[in-house]
Amino acid sequence: MSPQIFSENWRKPTTILISALSFVVFLILDFLDNFLCILYRYIDELFEGQASSCYCASKEEQVRNVGGYGEGELSETLYWRKNAFREMGFLGFAKKSWKTGGGAVVNRWSDCGCESCLSWMNDCDQKLHFVFREPSQAITDQDCRGKPAENVIFLHGFLCSSSFWTETVFPNLSERVNRNYRLFAIDLLGFGRSPKPRDCMYTLKDHLEMIEKSVICPFQLDSFHLVAHSMGCLIAIALAAKHSKLIKSITLVAPPYIPSKDGDSLRVLEKLAERKLWPPFLFGTSFMSWYEHLGRCVCFLVCRNHRMWERIVKLLTRRRDLHFMTMDLTRHTHHSAWHTMHNVICGGAKLMEGYLQVLSKAGVKVVVIHGDKDNVVPLECSNNIQMIVPNAEVTIIKNADHSSVLLGRERDFTRRLEHIWESIACRYSENGTDVVSSLHPTPVKNDK
């Protein structure tokens, strides 16, 4: 019997076995998440005086507890996640003893209490942390003489920070860009060194307002370029659509855009975090995305003790400085990560088509860069964008995954960014109007 026939004969039984094992594992996780729901409510009441509301309750009950958010701002995936035991009324017997409420002004007992993580409690006028690089001198090019410096805003992805850009792109910028560009690398709300308020639901609107309050308004930006990676792409698209008259270009790296048919955000969750055991990364994503209380356990063990874990890793690796992505991975709270995941990545998907149409009509230069080996964000996401914005430039990087689309090729990536910015910088006439009436469609490119 040939190896190929042998493999075919075993493929179906193997698939059935994996499916059965997957069913059992996720059934156990469903039970554990419901059990932890009860446990956390009693512990929260013990330490904080009242239990924190969670999404095991009905949508109507949760909306009453939250308040202040309009229709459609909160993702349906917060309430519609399937759980076998919840649907059987597993939690019903304990509801009468639960006293849920706000508690928005105190830090969760399960969150980190370091100075950075508590900054939102000490700062009445909360603003985002960002790294700002000012140009070393005024623009001297003859074609652009007298024009102010160009502005670029960088937005990172999920569980990252501004370091994603300051450690990769910033060191590789040319002298010309360093002289003539103002650069803003932002820590998004709830991540890095930015505030992580407990009374915030981390919707798209919340993220946009904080970027405007922290950067766009204080620095009086009258025009800017946007560069974003992964989840940050969705925030960048929304920001660009809101300020379509100010935006010059938007570069999206591995954008997780899944069209949400009829506003069904659950489809996005099932696509990006399908409940499967294999591959391991997908299992980890589904574990943290579908299970609110199990995810809180992970954050309690890891994020709450991020300083201790950093010391342990430094000791084991004998390195004084850890890789920035290792540091960023724990710089959030469960509340900030959970709500950003659902309200931005899943819930925000239903708004993206309208935002992209605004950019297309405004003639904004849209550039999409994606790795062909990306196992986090499907390659079809970039194709989805080009279907709505036919003029978008889509470049597929061969043998690159979600991170190596930039990491390991920092210099080439930075040169590409500079080319995008400089191709637009001098296209404006003296009265400030764009001399280029339209952008012509560009076919999909494949780069090495």
Side-chain angles (χ1 to χ4, degrees):
M1 183 179 291
S2 68
Q4 184 176 1
I5 296 177
F6 183 81
S7 177
E8 289 290 338
N9 291 338
W10 278 93
R11 182 174 299 174
K12 187 174 181 179
T14 302
T15 303
I16 294 174
L17 179 61
I18 293 176
S19 298
L21 183 60
S22 177
F23 174 81
V24 172
V25 169
F26 282 103
L27 188 65
I28 294 173
L29 294 179
D30 283 354
F31 174 80
L32 289 175
D33 200 60
N34 279 270
F35 172 76
L36 287 170
C37 175
I38 299 173
L39 181 62
Y40 270 127
R41 283 179 180 259
Y42 283 116
I43 296 178
D44 287 346
E45 190 170 349
L46 177 64
F47 282 97
E48 301 175 11
Q50 55 186 0
S52 301
S53 58
C54 67
Y55 295 99
C56 299
S58 66
K59 181 175 181 180
E60 291 74 19
E61 180 183 342
Q62 181 64 27
V63 170
R64 285 197 302 270
N65 291 330
V66 173
Y69 285 87
E71 183 68 26
E73 287 190 61
L74 302 182
S75 173
E76 293 84 356
T77 57
L78 291 168
Y79 315 95
W80 292 353
R81 291 169 294 110
K82 298 177 182 179
N83 186 301
F85 292 91
R86 188 184 307 137
E87 293 171 4
M88 291 189 297
F90 180 80
L91 302 175
F93 75 93
K95 280 187 177 180
K96 292 183 180 180
S97 63
W98 291 344
K99 297 187 300 180
T100 60
V105 295
V106 298
N107 192 47
R108 263 185 173 182
W109 64 270
S110 56
D111 289 341
C112 179
C114 72
E115 182 179 355
S116 175
C117 293
L118 292 181
S119 64
W120 64 275
M121 296 181 63
N122 304 321
D123 184 8
C124 296
D125 184 27
Q126 297 179 30
K127 290 186 179 180
L128 300 177
H129 171 268
F130 59 91
V131 177
F132 173 49
R133 177 178 288 187
E134 195 166 3
S136 56
Q137 67 180 54
I139 294 179
T140 57
D141 287 359
Q142 183 176 358
D143 293 339
C144 300
R145 186 174 299 160
K147 296 290 183 181
E150 297 282 342
N151 303 300
V152 185
I153 297 176
F154 294 85
L155 303 179
H156 61 79
F158 193 58
L159 305 186
C160 290
S161 76
S162 55
S163 298
F164 187 81
W165 303 110
T166 59
E167 298 290 331
T168 56
V169 172
F170 280 30
N172 290 288
L173 291 168
S174 66
E175 184 60 30
R176 167 176 161 72
V177 169
N178 285 326
R179 289 199 315 266
N180 304 324
Y181 284 72
R182 294 199 300 177
L183 309 176
F184 303 85
I186 296 174
D187 282 0
L188 292 171
L189 183 65
F191 299 93
R193 296 174 62 184
S194 282
K196 304 168 181 65
R198 182 177 172 181
D199 58 345
C200 177
M201 302 304 289
Y202 298 88
T203 62
L204 262 177
K205 182 180 178 181
D206 291 328
H207 284 283
L208 297 190
E209 288 178 348
M210 284 298 288
I211 294 172
E212 292 168 337
K213 176 182 177 181
S214 306
V215 175
I216 295 179
C217 294
F219 288 88
Q220 300 179 344
L221 303 188
D222 55 3
S223 67
F224 55 90
H225 301 269
L226 274 170
V227 182
H229 175 249
S230 192
M231 178 203 72
C233 294
L234 302 181
I235 299 175
I237 291 171
L239 184 66
K242 186 175 182 180
H243 299 280
S244 59
K245 294 183 179 179
L246 305 182
I247 192 74
K248 286 190 171 183
S249 74
I250 177 170
T251 303
L252 307 171
V253 185
Y257 170 52
I258 302 292
S260 179
K261 296 181 180 178
D262 302 321
D264 183 9
S265 301
L266 193 60
R267 177 177 179 270
V268 181
L269 180 62
E270 292 173 341
K271 184 71 175 180
L272 296 177
E274 188 177 2
R275 304 212 309 180
K276 285 186 175 181
L277 293 181
W278 195 265
F281 181 87
L282 183 58
F283 172 70
T285 302
S286 62
F287 181 95
M288 297 299 293
S289 302
W290 286 84
Y291 297 106
E292 179 179 4
H293 304 290
L294 286 169
R296 185 178 174 185
C297 285
V298 174
C299 289
F300 171 69
L301 294 173
V302 179
C303 300
R304 185 179 189 273
N305 305 290
H306 64 84
R307 293 168 295 179
M308 180 189 71
W309 287 114
E310 288 166 9
R311 288 194 292 267
I312 292 175
V313 174
K314 287 180 180 179
L315 182 63
L316 293 177
T317 59
R318 298 182 180 179
R319 295 182 60 180
R320 179 177 298 180
D321 298 318
L322 298 179
H323 192 274
F324 67 90
M325 293 190 72
T326 302
M327 302 282 287
D328 290 343
L329 195 61
T330 59
R331 299 297 178 90
H332 64 274
T333 64
H334 176 254
H335 185 81
S336 66
W338 173 262
H339 288 89
T340 299
M341 165 67 190
H342 286 277
N343 290 332
V344 173
I345 299 179
C346 298
K350 59 189 175 186
L351 305 173
M352 288 301 114
E353 182 174 357
Y355 292 152
L356 289 169
Q357 289 174 349
V358 170
L359 298 182
S360 182
K361 291 178 181 178
V364 175
K365 186 177 182 65
V366 178
V367 179
V368 181
I369 302 174
H370 210 136
D372 66 347
K373 302 297 184 182
D374 195 328
N375 59 358
V376 179
V377 175
L379 193 57
E380 68 182 76
C381 291
S382 293
N383 297 330
N384 294 334
I385 292 178
Q386 193 170 48
M387 289 178 65
I388 302 173
V389 188
N391 293 334
E393 297 180 10
V394 179
T395 300
I396 309 302
I397 308 298
K398 292 183 178 180
N399 300 317
D401 58 26
H402 196 65
S403 298
S404 62
V405 68
L406 170 57
L407 302 180
R409 52 183 307 274
E410 292 89 348
R411 185 175 296 275
D412 290 341
F413 181 87
T414 305
R415 295 287 86 79
R416 177 69 191 280
L417 285 181
E418 293 183 350
H419 175 74
I420 294 169
W421 303 335
E422 293 175 4
S423 66
I424 297 174
C426 298
R427 292 184 179 182
Y428 289 81
S429 60
E430 292 182 358
N431 61 6
T433 58
D434 195 344
V435 298
V436 179
S437 58
S438 63
L439 297 172
H440 298 286
T442 303
V444 175
K445 299 177 181 179
N446 286 278
D447 286 1
K448 296 182 178 180

